[in-house]
Amino acid sequence: MSATADLPKTARVVIIGGGIIGCSTAYHLAKMGCSEVVLLEKHKLTSGSTFHAAGLVGQLRTNANITQLLGYSVELYKTLEQETGLATGWKMNGGLRLACNPERWIEVKRQATTAHSFGLEMHLLTPGEALELWPVMDISDLVGAAFLPTDGQANPSDITQSLASGARKGGVQICEGIEVTGFEFDGDTIRAVETDAGSIRCERAVICAGQWSQQLGRLAGINIPLVSVQHQYLVTEAIAGVAAELPTLRDPDRLTYFKEDVGGLVMGGYEPNPIPWAEDGIPPGFNFTLLDNNWDHFEPLMEQAIARVPALADAGVRQMFNGPESFTPDGNFILGEAPERNNVFVGAGFNAFGIASAGGAGMALAEWVVNGVPPFDLWPVDIRRFGQPHRDIEWVRQRTLEAYAKHYTMAWPFEENVTCRPSRRSPLYDTLKSNGACFGEKLGWERPNWFAEDPQAAHDEYGFGRQNWFDAVGREHAAARERVAIFDQSSFAKYRVSGADAERALSWICAGDVAVEAGRVVYTQLLNQQGGIECDLTVTRIAADEYYLVTGTGFATHDLDWIRRNIPAGLDARVDDVTTAWAVLSLMGPKSRDVLQALVRDDLSNQVSPFATMRELAVSGAKLRALRVSYVGELGWELHVPVESALSVYQALMAAGADAGIVNAGYRAIESLRLEKGYRAWGADIGPDYTPLEAGLGWAVDLKSGKDFIGRDAIVAQQGQPLTKSLACFTLDDCDVVLLGRETIYRNDERVGWLSSAGWGYTVGANIGFGYVRWADGIDRGFLESGRYELEVAGERVACEWQPGPLYDPVMQKMKC
């Protein structure tokens, strides 16, 4: 349909993009009974990136909910052809992943453990067993393999047309040959989508335009950080021994993948030197179009492929594809409502996984559009995970090319990116670097992970065992427990909430009681209507009409968006991002009071300056906010210092603490310290799928005052019911075992969950893991106490101990002294 007369004037939802993501979203909106849905495609369905996709469908990811999304795709593709009557090319022929060296074999075994944690079937195979499944490959260098029997492959164009057919049957109007030229807003709220054939007034707009999404986002005033990268693969003539049921094959050590195609093979891969495309914009009329083949660039992959499949050397090439696709800076796709606008949603940047992701992503995006919230926690792909550096397209391009090049390289634990660094630096960056800091990066910020002492070099050496920083972090950990340590946490996101109704607004948004006197610090969660934890932060009252909020670095966009959207209409309250106005020096340890007291005349005793209070102090000519809080389980203060005075205050603290043995410490020590204390991390141990009661944080929820807040009804309803999941702590004494998170939890030989976070506790001398124990019939302390527990680590089960509470200072004597 392309005639101007056929273009509707109004719609409830307008979807932009007729590839597999747009058609899946339309299909699922129709299934939900959403009426007046229009899908606009500037050319023909599948004419963008979908038509040249390779069509492999894998399911396993490092996050349970994203794995669930991909599993939904498989279930949908199994029945879609029967439903719509259009062929999809779906085959559940399984997926094989190879390992050609000991390190890769450890990675594959850990992936198998992750699969088991998430309820996904994955079998570890010997080289001989792998050969039986894939008889045309050479296994001379093979150490082992993993097989996922429910993986498969599909024909991208066919499955898209089938989804489109289902959408049409559900009432969706699909208009081809219509190009979007702009958007109309009332304030920040979408009112219409403008096209070359007229304007469509609408309530919601959904950008699913693949590599065109970034430029459409600019038209809408939103940032969609993705770029186009060339991706090549070839299709061979028939090869003897290639049967129709041959599984898909991924050979990451040789950077290649394969799938069967009409008796031949599709072969492609991920080069270490990817080539960007359309750096100055996608040319007009780029529809059903491929780029010129680049055999010189593809040849190294071809050599690796022939080494794995010798018959390729003599096989005829039926077709070569060089099709640009959209990739993102972290290799994850982009879903959700754009934080800059109201009712504008995005589903884009699928990193050559669009076919595998489309079924589940379309389902999730449709529910997000209709209900205003996703069906479950989708933080790894949420558009709000991006921030300031992602507004620079060159920064995005360089980081994306690095992510592309790492697609099949070893996924080392704790691996850091190297491109676009340094970008955002605290005032202490150069000083800390000269003192041995080894930096990591989050949301562009350089943050000290650990400090090297001569003769050790300040760089990470990756591996699956204890890495080269293990002893250094142990020293920093001990200093915080026994003396005093200083942490540069300037990258914390910080907001100012102000206005005559600031208290009313935050009382509605926060589950904790924030109607406190000035100078009080409140640790609180911000909940959704289901009682799930959307944000986890501290709220400090500065004055009657002003609060100061502090949250994690990586949540800067997410938490600001949540607060802004949930301030009730009509209240005199506003939120501003003040992150870059304040540096943060966290002074922690039993001698921290002595160090800080040496610099001020104010009384810092526990009687005058108790835990969870804030005082304004003057140090080295700077007026700072001293928050007496701790994420490490020791006496300490977060010192929030005007950026211009941060270096002076740091130097004064180091001089005052010299006799006390003060040391610089980094984020890896913070992680070890917080695990021992049992503190939760948002995005791992807590999130939108977990309530405070399930997370053991019910004490932080204010149900006594009678105040209403978002999620209160859900928490009250849950109070009288048995919990079906509960956060638990487990320990394992063997230092040779390395816990990283996602290890499977077994209770009495039954799988009951997986670790959400883990690490080594230097004070307690044990591995520590946190994870939710799940049991449909209900969980209480007696249930947890009565179990015999094991963890699956890289395919092996090891006994562990359930712990009833925090491992370190459970009564908080040290923090509150």
Side-chain angles (χ1 to χ4, degrees):
M1 177 183 300
S2 59
T4 302
D6 293 323
L7 188 70
K9 300 299 183 184
T10 62
R12 183 179 177 190
V13 181
V14 174
I15 301 169
I16 306 165
I20 193 167
I21 306 302
C23 288
S24 178
T25 304
Y27 169 90
H28 285 94
L29 284 170
K31 286 290 184 182
M32 294 179 69
C34 184
S35 59
E36 297 184 77
V37 176
V38 176
L39 185 150
L40 304 178
E41 165 53 48
K42 67 182 180 64
H43 190 63
K44 298 290 185 182
L45 299 185
T46 78
S47 63
S49 301
T50 298
F51 84 95
H52 60 70
L56 281 71
V57 179
Q59 299 168 82
L60 181 61
R61 295 294 183 274
T62 56
N63 176 271
N65 286 350
I66 306 306
T67 297
Q68 180 181 336
L69 277 192
L70 273 64
Y72 176 91
S73 294
V74 167
E75 294 303 312
L76 174 64
Y77 299 163
K78 285 180 184 178
T79 60
L80 189 61
E81 181 173 340
Q82 181 180 357
E83 176 190 340
T84 66
L86 295 182
T88 62
W90 168 248
K91 288 195 301 184
M92 197 170 74
N93 48 346
L96 198 60
R97 180 176 289 264
L98 307 182
C100 302
N101 56 66
E103 291 80 11
R104 181 71 73 179
W105 185 227
I106 294 173
E107 181 190 55
V108 167
K109 288 191 291 185
R110 283 190 172 272
Q111 289 171 338
T113 292
T114 299
H116 300 159
S117 292
F118 302 163
L120 191 62
E121 188 178 357
M122 187 171 180
H123 305 286
L124 297 175
L125 307 179
T126 66
E129 291 169 332
L131 184 63
E132 291 178 10
L133 290 173
W134 234 83
V136 293
M137 70 172 165
D138 183 303
I139 62 168
S140 59
D141 64 341
L142 208 59
V143 175
F147 181 61
L148 287 86
T150 55
D151 279 1
Q153 63 189 67
N155 182 298
S157 293
D158 287 351
I159 210 162
T160 302
Q161 294 291 352
S162 187
L163 287 164
S165 175
R168 287 190 183 98
K169 291 177 180 178
V172 174
Q173 189 171 350
I174 296 178
C175 303
E176 298 178 299
I178 303 292
E179 184 167 1
V180 171
T181 58
F183 300 84
E184 179 187 332
F185 291 92
D186 181 1
D188 287 328
T189 302
I190 188 72
R191 283 292 174 259
V193 174
E194 298 167 349
T195 80
D196 57 359
S199 181
I200 308 175
R201 294 191 64 81
C202 61
E203 299 174 12
R204 308 275 193 277
V206 189
I207 298 175
C208 299
Q211 59 191 334
W212 287 266
S213 297
Q214 202 266 343
Q215 64 191 49
L216 281 169
R218 288 201 305 271
L219 288 176
I222 65 177
N223 184 45
I224 305 176
L226 56 81
V227 295
S228 301
V229 181
Q230 298 184 35
H231 186 71
Q232 297 191 100
Y233 68 88
L234 59 78
V235 185
T236 75
E237 302 287 356
I239 296 174
V242 174
E245 68 275 9
L246 198 71
T248 62
L249 179 73
R250 292 170 178 84
D251 188 1
D253 289 312
R254 295 188 179 276
L255 308 179
T256 52
Y257 61 78
F258 304 83
K259 78 164 188 174
E260 185 274 338
D261 186 88
V262 196
L265 290 174
V266 170
M267 187 283 290
Y270 291 84
E271 310 91 332
N273 54 340
I275 302 175
W277 182 71
E279 296 177 70
D280 297 320
I282 299 172
F286 193 79
N287 309 303
F288 286 125
T289 305
L290 296 171
L291 306 178
D292 292 337
N293 295 330
N294 189 335
W295 282 101
D296 289 341
H297 195 249
F298 193 73
E299 185 177 7
L301 290 181
M302 191 68 190
E303 291 174 353
Q304 293 292 338
I306 291 172
R308 178 64 62 214
V309 186
L312 278 175
D314 300 316
V317 176
R318 193 164 79 237
Q319 190 172 6
M320 179 82 173
F321 289 83
N322 185 0
E325 299 189 38
S326 60
F327 289 81
T328 65
D330 61 3
N332 284 326
F333 54 87
I334 303 172
L335 286 185
E337 186 174 9
E340 301 94 336
R341 298 292 196 182
N342 298 324
N343 300 336
V344 179
F345 296 80
V346 177
F350 279 84
N351 301 275
F353 280 117
I355 310 307
S357 308
M363 173 274 292
L365 192 53
E367 292 202 21
W368 212 327
V369 168
V370 172
N371 300 325
V373 293
F376 39 74
D377 180 14
L378 293 172
W379 173 242
V381 299
D382 193 314
I383 192 170
R384 294 171 295 176
R385 72 188 188 271
F386 299 116
Q388 177 178 303
H390 301 97
R391 298 188 176 278
D392 176 3
I393 192 63
E394 291 305 319
W395 193 101
V396 170
R397 182 171 289 109
Q398 292 306 310
R399 180 58 60 83
T400 299
L401 293 176
E402 180 183 4
Y404 180 106
K406 288 180 175 178
H407 190 89
Y408 276 159
T409 60
M410 202 78 69
W412 298 114
F414 311 107
E415 185 176 9
E416 294 282 350
N417 291 306
V418 298
T419 53
C420 310
R421 297 180 60 185
S423 176
R424 307 173 79 183
R425 286 172 278 187
S426 94
L428 305 184
Y429 176 80
D430 290 328
T431 299
L432 298 181
K433 185 176 182 180
S434 68
N435 281 278
C438 182
F439 290 93
E441 178 261 337
K442 179 167 284 191
L443 218 62
W445 284 100
E446 294 293 323
R447 312 192 312 172
N449 278 339
W450 60 281
F451 288 81
E453 294 183 358
D454 288 336
Q456 186 178 25
H459 69 85
D460 292 325
E461 296 174 8
Y462 300 124
F464 285 102
R466 298 295 175 192
Q467 296 184 7
N468 67 315
W469 44 263
F470 183 74
D471 291 338
V473 171
R475 292 193 297 268
E476 298 166 23
H477 178 114
R481 287 278 183 255
E482 299 165 7
R483 306 187 308 277
V484 60
I486 189 166
F487 302 86
D488 180 7
Q489 296 190 280
S490 300
S491 65
F492 273 154
K494 314 163 198 84
Y495 316 119
R496 178 176 183 261
V497 176
S498 58
D501 296 321
E503 179 184 304
R504 286 180 61 193
L506 285 176
S507 291
W508 167 246
I509 294 171
C510 298
D513 180 10
V514 297
V516 294
E517 66 271 18
R520 283 286 307 278
V521 183
V522 179
Y523 167 63
T524 183
Q525 288 77 48
L526 281 56
L527 308 182
N528 55 38
Q529 293 291 359
Q530 293 73 42
I533 301 170
E534 290 287 347
C535 311
D536 181 70
L537 42 73
T538 60
V539 176
T540 300
R541 188 155 203 171
I542 303 298
D545 60 352
E546 182 181 355
Y547 288 84
Y548 181 64
L549 281 60
V550 183
T551 190
T553 304
F555 316 132
T557 304
H558 174 278
D559 289 10
L560 180 64
D561 180 68
W562 181 265
I563 295 165
R564 182 177 288 149
R565 289 183 188 275
N566 285 286
I567 292 175
L571 293 189
D572 177 17
R574 60 172 292 172
V575 56
D576 297 293
D577 189 335
V578 295
T579 296
T580 55
W582 298 90
V584 180
L585 308 180
S586 293
L587 188 71
M588 298 290 157
K591 296 185 178 181
S592 59
R593 178 180 284 119
D594 298 337
V595 174
L596 188 57
Q597 188 69 78
L599 298 174
V600 299
R601 294 187 176 182
D602 307 76
D603 186 352
L604 300 181
S605 67
N606 192 57
Q607 292 73 27
V608 177
S609 300
F611 185 76
T613 59
M614 183 277 292
R615 298 193 60 183
E616 292 187 339
L617 304 175
V619 176
S620 296
K623 185 178 180 181
L624 57 83
R625 293 171 175 172
L627 279 62
R628 192 174 159 197
V629 294
S630 175
Y631 193 53
V632 302
E634 296 293 342
L635 171 69
W637 282 263
E638 282 180 12
L639 305 176
H640 292 247
V641 186
V643 165
E644 67 273 14
S645 300
L647 182 57
S648 297
V649 172
Y650 168 80
Q651 290 170 337
L653 290 167
M654 293 301 286
D659 291 342
I662 193 171
V663 303
N664 290 301
Y667 273 81
R668 294 207 173 120
I670 292 174
E671 179 69 2
S672 173
L673 291 158
R674 74 97 183 169
L675 285 169
E676 288 187 336
K677 194 68 180 72
Y679 288 151
R680 283 66 165 147
W682 195 91
D685 310 312
I686 54 177
D689 291 345
Y690 305 110
T691 71
L693 301 182
E694 294 164 342
L697 295 172
W699 57 269
V701 177
D702 176 24
L703 294 177
K704 295 180 180 179
S705 70
K707 72 141 182 164
D708 197 11
F709 57 86
I710 301 171
R712 187 183 196 279
D713 290 346
I715 299 300
V716 170
Q718 191 180 50
Q719 271 192 317
Q721 304 297 321
L723 297 176
T724 57
K725 58 181 181 286
S726 179
L727 189 65
C729 176
F730 303 92
T731 56
L732 172 62
D733 294 341
D734 189 348
C735 187
D736 291 333
V737 175
V738 179
L739 298 184
L740 299 171
R742 297 187 299 280
E743 290 84 1
T744 317
I745 305 168
Y746 289 90
R747 178 186 181 274
N748 298 341
D749 293 320
E750 292 192 59
R751 180 172 56 85
V752 293
W754 61 89
L755 296 187
S756 52
S757 62
W760 182 257
Y762 293 87
T763 301
V764 300
N767 283 290
I768 305 168
F770 283 91
Y772 285 86
V773 173
R774 293 162 165 81
W775 198 254
D777 293 334
I779 298 170
D780 57 17
R781 185 182 176 104
F783 177 88
L784 292 169
E785 285 180 337
S786 63
R788 175 180 55 84
Y789 294 96
E790 295 174 299
L791 298 173
E792 181 184 332
V793 184
E796 302 292 332
R797 287 201 200 180
V798 292
C800 64
E801 297 293 327
W802 171 77
Q803 301 294 339
L807 302 171
Y808 180 79
D809 189 25
V811 295
M812 300 181 71
Q813 288 180 335
K814 295 180 179 296
M815 278 176 50
K816 296 188 175 182
C817 64

